Amino acid sequence: MPDQSIKITGPFRQLLTMDKLPLKGSLKDAQLEIIEEAGIVHQNGLIIETGQFKSLCTKYSFAGITIQPIDTDLIVLPGLVDPHTHICWAGSRENDYALRLEGKSYAEIAQSGGGIWDTVNKTRHASGVELNKSLISKSSRQLSCGITTCEVKSGYALNLEGEIRLLEIIKAVRQEHPIDLVSTCLAAHIRPRDFEGTANEYLQYLTMMLLPLIKSEELSNRVDIFVDEGGFSAREAENYLKAAKKLGFDLVVHGDQFTSGGVHLAVNLGAKSVDHLEVIQSGEIKILAASDVVATALPGASLGLGCTFAPARRLLDAGCCLAIGSDWNPGSAPMGDLLVQTAILGTFEKLTNAEQLSAITFRAAQALGLNDRGILKKGYLADFIGFPGRNYREILYNQGMLKPRFVWKRGAQFF
Ligand code: NIG
Ligand code: FE
């Protein structure tokens, strides 16, 4: 029997609700709603109310209430949302990394047999049990770092059975692990070397054979494509994305990492987000700001490749909705620590605490099309995390090394 009692968790030294903030544009810390000596009332995994702990205890002082007392100073935020990862893979690419340290580029390494194709070979040969175990372990690490919702892409099998297998593994882990995993089909990562045909023919094959299967098996409702050097051209991507949209998928684009083209496509087709944006130009920033497409920066890939960061400050000042994802993958972003990466992007790009925290809570939820999380208010998921401390500014000041002491997912405490 699920526990249906009403619970009050608290008191918390500070509670950041992330409520009443605009979805787009720059933010000042003074705009943050902070409740001191706060509590959260929740039931069945949903928030009933937030407010001052003492008055909540008085208001709900009738039978059947459970008080979950906290006897340490905590700063509480909504559970973090990582809107972009590739954490379903096998193997490791430390040799690619060493080659990059010697000066080789990502594209050169891919051409000489490393890169994504290397991970595809290792993932295809890994057993389901191995992949399942690895995804569970990465999901647990994410949860312990305060991430209560995590997007996961396929894209390391690049054939029909393999891509289905990866999406099935993500679905299985979603069912057994407390973290919410949101799956995305990235079969259009690169053209697989063993596919006999052009890039266009590969995309047509995916459209005809793979996407309908994913829909009917309810394995994902999101389709992503790598639009760049080494991936697909914007022209090739357009037909594929249009077909995916027709089938009812939400769209996502890996765009403007090395070359431009992805932003126009994402905006024209009404994608949920366009991710990377390291080389985005002023014209595209304007177009993106005028749209509802979320701009997702991936500082972990800049750190992994030793490249510039996406111009997060300019994106916000232009009025974009900025999310930040870890891009955790074995090639470009092996670190996989969203909070560290957010803090590093924040210091280089001059992002306020409010902008950084929004980018990994409700704005990241927007990138996933989820409007039930990322804010602590009535009716939203009781996903919340508590960092030791007395002032919310301690979190990013510690540049990601201050980890949550407690993580609650749908009202249940996990760490
Ligand atoms: O987002 N650029 C394309 N895809 C991933 C990298 C994947 C890999 O190198 O294995 C990214 O950076
Ligand atoms: Fe990525």
Side-chain angles (χ1 to χ4, degrees):
M1 262 294 275
D3 181 1
Q4 306 221 329
S5 67
I6 296 180
K7 301 184 189 72
I8 305 181
T9 311
F12 306 130
R13 187 77 185 78
Q14 288 191 328
L15 175 77
L16 265 67
T17 64
M18 303 310 288
D19 194 13
K20 306 179 187 109
L21 294 170
L23 204 48
K24 294 170 72 174
S26 57
L27 295 168
K28 295 274 181 255
D29 286 359
Q31 289 173 263
L32 290 168
E33 179 178 68
I34 302 169
I35 309 175
E36 310 274 343
E37 297 307 322
I40 299 180
V41 186
H42 52 104
Q43 183 182 32
N44 293 331
L46 297 180
I47 295 171
I48 298 180
E49 196 176 343
T50 61
Q52 278 192 316
F53 183 70
K54 274 196 184 139
S55 38
L56 291 173
C57 288
T58 313
K59 181 171 170 185
Y60 289 86
S61 63
F62 46 79
I65 202 97
T66 314
I67 295 185
Q68 299 183 313
I70 301 294
D71 59 4
T72 180
D73 280 330
L74 282 190
I75 312 149
V76 168
L77 313 180
L80 307 181
V81 177
D82 189 339
H84 182 134
T85 83
H86 305 247
I87 57 174
C88 195
W89 86 78
S92 171
R93 303 231 298 273
E94 67 279 356
N95 291 336
D96 284 13
Y97 192 79
L99 288 171
R100 285 204 297 279
L101 297 181
E102 289 170 10
K104 291 262 181 314
S105 74
Y106 185 71
E108 282 168 344
I109 295 165
Q111 274 152 19
S112 60
I116 295 170
W117 185 244
D118 180 42
T119 301
V120 168
N121 276 320
K122 290 169 179 156
T123 306
R124 282 182 182 177
H125 286 103
S127 72
V129 173
E130 189 187 326
L131 288 167
N132 185 285
K133 236 172 118 182
S134 159
L135 182 57
I136 288 180
S137 129
K138 293 190 180 74
S139 299
S140 297
R141 199 180 101 181
Q142 290 281 72
L143 193 67
S144 72
C145 290
I147 292 152
T148 48
T149 300
C150 177
E151 188 260 14
V152 189
K153 300 173 196 300
S154 67
Y156 289 124
L158 309 185
N159 56 28
L160 203 69
E161 321 75 64
E163 287 291 310
I164 293 285
R165 181 170 81 128
L166 295 184
L167 291 169
E168 279 172 352
I169 289 167
I170 299 167
K171 188 172 178 175
V173 174
R174 180 196 307 135
Q175 282 160 356
E176 69 177 276
H177 199 282
I179 199 169
D180 275 329
L181 296 182
V182 176
S183 60
T184 305
C185 171
L186 180 59
H189 205 172
I190 55 171
R191 182 184 67 83
R193 293 196 179 174
D194 58 350
F195 182 83
E196 288 171 16
T198 63
N200 260 324
E201 285 163 349
Y202 176 62
L203 295 176
Q204 276 166 20
Y205 162 75
L206 296 181
T207 307
M208 276 161 25
M209 308 300 287
L210 180 67
L211 298 187
L213 206 57
I214 292 174
K215 261 275 137 182
S216 64
E217 305 281 318
E218 297 183 356
L219 289 172
S220 173
N221 60 9
R222 294 163 46 88
V223 163
D224 192 351
I225 183 163
F226 180 31
V227 180
D228 221 313
E229 193 180 76
F232 298 90
S233 71
R235 245 192 123 84
E236 288 160 349
E238 187 174 352
N239 288 335
Y240 178 65
L241 290 176
K242 278 184 175 161
K245 192 174 179 175
K246 237 190 186 156
L247 287 166
F249 288 96
D250 285 342
L251 307 180
V252 191
V253 174
H254 270 75
D256 287 42
Q257 182 180 13
F258 305 112
T259 57
S260 61
V263 171
H264 284 276
L265 196 62
V267 170
N268 291 342
L269 296 177
K272 286 279 168 223
S273 69
V274 53
D275 306 25
H276 271 299
L277 307 174
E278 288 85 338
V279 302
I280 190 172
Q281 302 294 308
S282 312
E284 279 82 15
I285 292 181
K286 254 192 179 156
I287 292 168
L288 197 49
S291 78
D292 290 330
V293 181
V294 177
T296 301
L298 305 171
S302 303
L303 292 167
L305 298 179
C307 296
T308 54
F309 293 112
R313 181 71 269 149
R314 284 167 57 215
L315 288 162
L316 284 166
D317 287 343
C320 289
C321 175
L322 178 82
I324 302 174
S326 71
D327 198 18
W328 194 2
N329 74 69
S332 64
M335 180 207 288
D337 191 312
L338 182 62
L339 200 57
V340 169
Q341 294 162 5
T342 300
I344 291 174
L345 181 70
T347 182
F348 279 95
E349 281 293 307
K350 310 297 170 213
L351 309 179
T352 64
N353 284 282
E355 288 166 338
Q356 293 182 54
L357 297 175
S358 298
I360 52 176
T361 55
F362 70 99
R363 289 178 170 179
Q366 174 74 12
L368 298 178
L370 300 171
N371 54 15
D372 61 350
R373 64 196 74 195
I375 301 176
L376 297 175
K377 71 172 187 186
K378 182 179 162 54
Y380 276 56
L381 294 186
D383 291 359
F384 51 100
I385 58 178
F387 291 86
R390 300 169 67 81
N391 178 340
Y392 75 92
R393 286 179 161 161
E394 292 172 49
I395 298 171
L396 290 160
Y397 164 67
N398 279 283
Q399 300 190 308
M401 293 312 285
L402 185 72
K403 301 294 182 196
R405 180 167 297 165
F406 297 100
V407 175
W408 288 266
K409 177 65 192 164
R410 293 177 195 258
Q413 188 185 317
F414 282 95
F415 289 97

